[in-house]
Amino acid sequence: MSNQDLLQRDLSVLWHPCTQMKDHETLPLIPIKRGKGVYLEDFNGKQYIDAISSWWVNLFGHSHPYINQAITAQLDQLEHVMLAGFSHEPVVTLSERLVALAPDGLDRCFFADNGSCAVEVALKMSFHYWRNCGRNEKTRFVTLDNSYHGETLGALAVGNLSLYRETYGPLLLDTLVAPSPDCFYRPPGVSWEEYSRERFMEMDHLLARHADEVCAVIVEPLVQCAGYMRMYHPVYLSLLREACDRYGVHLIADEIAVGFGRTGTLFACEQAPVSPDFMCLSKGLTGGYMPLSVTLTTEQIYRAFYNDYESMTAFLHSHSYTGNPLGCSAANATLDLFQQQPVLENNVTLAATMMTAAQELNEHPHVAEVRQQGMILAVEMIKDKQRREPYPWQERRGLRVYRYALEQGVLLRPLGNVIYLMPPYVITPEEIGRVIDVAKKGIAIATRD
Ligand code: PMP
């Protein structure tokens, strides 16, 4: 079979995610035959470095022997059982380990099978908690401008990217939006910390006005990933935690993208440090192998649901594949790898290599900023650097980099005018060098007219 064969079959029956399918009249769709380490290989034998971890899921490379073996062993035991009324060893072990690793106080695990659903669970649980406490007036959520929390209607409603949200506006919950602490817009000479602190004041005012009707504030700690990899200082999270306590509002940390070491610490919240009332995890949870997600919460919130059945306070939410044993075994194997190797320590060196290699892009006349949090590095292209005028989105400059990089055997899927790296942790310094070299040439090509 060649790329061409599979491509034709694909385009006659599939509808791909997050894609204007007409683009594929000119943009090649790439059928992948296998993956190994950081490499993906197509049906013509061409290899691509997966510099974005296949939508930020993969942590230790494709087809990792240890994770493969764990899933195979689990497959021989139990592929799946419903989690209502039943339990199994991988889900219990995984929950014990997550509770031990998560910020203090997150002692209960509720599973689902994708990130958006983990967010839905947090929103519904928070709302329901307040109801169980007799606080029926609490019905709203606060979110940050430029945030993203998934595509199902509840998760979409608490996101704030018009590209994904606007069309569905009439269907969505009415959320309260605070300005983003995103440091891209800080004036010259102002530090990330000063800017994030200053931005917090509006959040405080919003909570002061609306706390009575607000269930929770939801944030992506430190990096708004789908929101163009915009970043902010951990002080914002400390201030937010303190304010949520003061105003009697829950804090939901969506660590679906930033969890499992992406920002340098195992969880981004540790850098503040704060313990949220809910923490959503998915993506890297299974090392990038299986659809699995979890919403962690506190014993105190759990207790507000715990009562006689007739009280009707139970959380009657479920998904068929909740806590799937194969997914849990992949997750346990992923946590083993974190235990067996000094992953976060090694990543410090890899992150420094990424920045050193990308640094000179700061001087590029059409690069507004090179920014980094741990293993996430982003380069923002701009039309006019002095006036900070962005390229019109219709020009799709990022897409030009994407095309060039693919030709060169590197997968760099941009977010608008932002090119970023979020590689698997098994990438070598040489491979980082190659990826950044391709990014530099791609940016040169994409900005030359
Ligand atoms: N929250 C964040 C921060 C995400 O980045 C994503 C996915 N990109 C989601 C939620 C949704 O996860 P999923 O795609 O698994 O539904």
Side-chain angles (χ1 to χ4, degrees):
M1 201 184 324
S2 72
N3 280 357
Q4 204 54 32
D5 299 332
L6 202 65
L7 198 149
Q8 268 162 9
R9 284 170 55 198
D10 177 302
L11 290 177
S12 60
V13 285
L14 267 91
W15 189 342
H16 286 264
C18 202
T19 299
Q20 169 49 265
M21 290 301 290
K22 190 166 189 290
D23 277 359
H24 285 313
E25 289 181 10
T26 53
L27 185 72
L29 177 72
I30 301 169
I32 293 299
K33 182 173 186 184
R34 61 177 146 236
K36 188 74 198 156
V38 291
Y39 292 95
L40 294 166
E41 189 181 310
D42 70 15
F43 281 78
N44 296 346
K46 180 169 175 176
Q47 292 197 323
Y48 304 83
I49 297 182
D50 186 356
I52 59 156
S53 300
S54 287
W55 262 347
W56 325 336
V57 299
N58 191 290
L59 295 186
F60 294 107
H62 295 275
S63 196
H64 192 288
Y66 184 77
I67 306 178
N68 288 4
Q69 168 272 320
I71 296 171
T72 313
Q74 181 57 41
L75 195 53
D76 284 335
Q77 288 291 317
L78 175 69
E79 82 301 337
H80 186 67
V81 63
M82 62 192 280
L83 205 60
F86 291 81
S87 189
H88 52 84
E89 196 277 330
V91 78
V92 175
T93 302
L94 178 59
S95 304
E96 289 168 347
R97 296 175 83 176
L98 290 172
V99 164
L101 290 168
D104 282 350
L106 293 169
D107 293 335
R108 288 279 164 184
C109 297
F110 191 101
F111 286 88
D113 44 26
N114 65 74
S116 304
C117 284
V119 170
E120 300 286 344
V121 166
L123 300 175
K124 284 178 69 179
M125 264 187 189
S126 173
F127 166 81
H128 199 160
Y129 168 88
W130 293 116
R131 248 184 130 71
N132 284 352
C133 298
R135 300 288 304 275
N136 291 7
E137 72 286 4
K138 280 186 174 279
T139 57
R140 301 183 77 185
F141 294 91
V142 175
T143 185
L144 294 177
D145 194 14
N146 192 48
S147 58
Y148 178 91
H149 297 288
E151 300 292 347
T152 53
L153 292 177
L156 194 62
V158 293
N160 202 253
L161 288 172
S162 55
L163 178 63
Y164 310 116
R165 190 185 198 281
E166 199 166 273
T167 309
Y168 307 101
L171 301 181
L172 303 177
L173 294 172
D174 177 27
T175 45
L176 295 158
V177 183
S180 171
D182 162 13
C183 292
F184 183 69
Y185 295 108
R186 72 195 186 285
V190 173
S191 71
W192 280 32
E193 176 166 359
E194 285 163 339
Y195 189 72
S196 295
R197 267 185 192 282
E198 192 262 314
R199 294 270 88 182
F200 182 75
M201 299 195 357
E202 286 195 51
M203 170 66 91
D204 200 287
H205 293 153
L206 190 74
L207 288 173
R209 262 179 293 147
H210 294 281
D212 284 351
E213 51 170 337
V214 168
C215 302
V217 179
I218 181 165
V219 292
E220 295 157 272
L222 304 189
V223 189
Q224 296 187 309
C225 291
Y228 311 100
M229 295 294 162
R230 293 286 178 74
M231 300 174 182
Y232 60 91
H233 194 274
V235 73
Y236 191 89
L237 297 173
S238 326
L239 294 168
L240 182 58
R241 174 70 277 179
E242 186 275 322
C244 285
D245 287 342
R246 189 158 28 94
Y247 291 114
V249 162
H250 290 143
L251 174 59
I252 304 173
D254 174 352
E255 294 232 10
I256 289 163
V258 294
F260 298 102
R262 293 291 186 194
T263 67
T265 41
L266 190 63
F267 300 113
C269 281
E270 292 169 30
Q271 294 186 40
V274 293
S275 288
D277 301 290
F278 298 92
M279 184 165 80
C280 304
L281 301 173
S282 187
K283 293 193 187 273
L285 173 62
T286 61
Y289 268 66
M290 300 264 179
L292 184 74
S293 66
V294 60
T295 306
L296 288 111
T297 191
T298 63
E299 192 65 17
Q300 191 231 340
I301 289 172
Y302 172 78
R303 285 282 146 199
F305 292 78
Y306 196 93
N307 206 335
D308 296 328
Y309 185 80
E310 297 72 30
S311 69
M312 292 310 286
T313 55
F315 190 59
L316 301 180
H317 178 109
S318 63
H319 299 284
S320 312
Y321 282 103
T322 289
N324 171 260
L326 295 170
C328 291
S329 67
N332 280 318
T334 300
L335 293 181
D336 289 345
L337 293 176
F338 273 104
Q339 252 174 1
Q340 289 162 11
Q341 305 159 14
V343 177
L344 300 178
E345 289 84 338
N346 293 346
N347 283 356
V348 173
T349 314
L350 288 176
T353 306
M354 283 173 21
M355 190 38 116
T356 308
Q359 192 93 55
E360 70 174 61
L361 276 168
N362 271 310
E363 312 308 321
H364 191 286
H366 291 291
V367 169
E369 182 176 74
V370 180
R371 52 181 173 266
Q372 184 180 30
Q373 286 274 16
M375 290 296 285
I376 309 176
L377 181 134
V379 180
E380 180 135 358
M381 297 186 291
I382 198 156
K383 184 171 179 186
D384 189 316
K385 200 163 174 164
Q386 268 64 49
R387 282 189 277 140
R388 286 181 88 75
E389 182 191 339
Y391 282 115
W393 62 267
Q394 294 88 341
E395 293 179 8
R396 305 182 81 184
R397 302 269 168 170
L399 191 66
R400 301 186 200 177
V401 181
Y402 175 67
R403 277 180 199 274
Y404 172 78
L406 282 179
E407 279 165 27
Q408 303 303 311
V410 175
L411 166 49
L412 276 175
R413 190 181 156 101
L415 292 158
N417 295 322
V418 175
I419 311 302
Y420 68 90
L421 269 70
M422 202 195 287
Y425 305 155
V426 293
I427 196 165
T428 63
E430 294 69 36
E431 287 157 348
I432 288 175
R434 206 180 126 209
V435 170
I436 299 224
D437 207 41
V438 166
K440 282 179 186 166
K441 294 199 178 104
I443 289 169
I445 291 167
T447 58
R448 73 183 160 202
D449 51 39

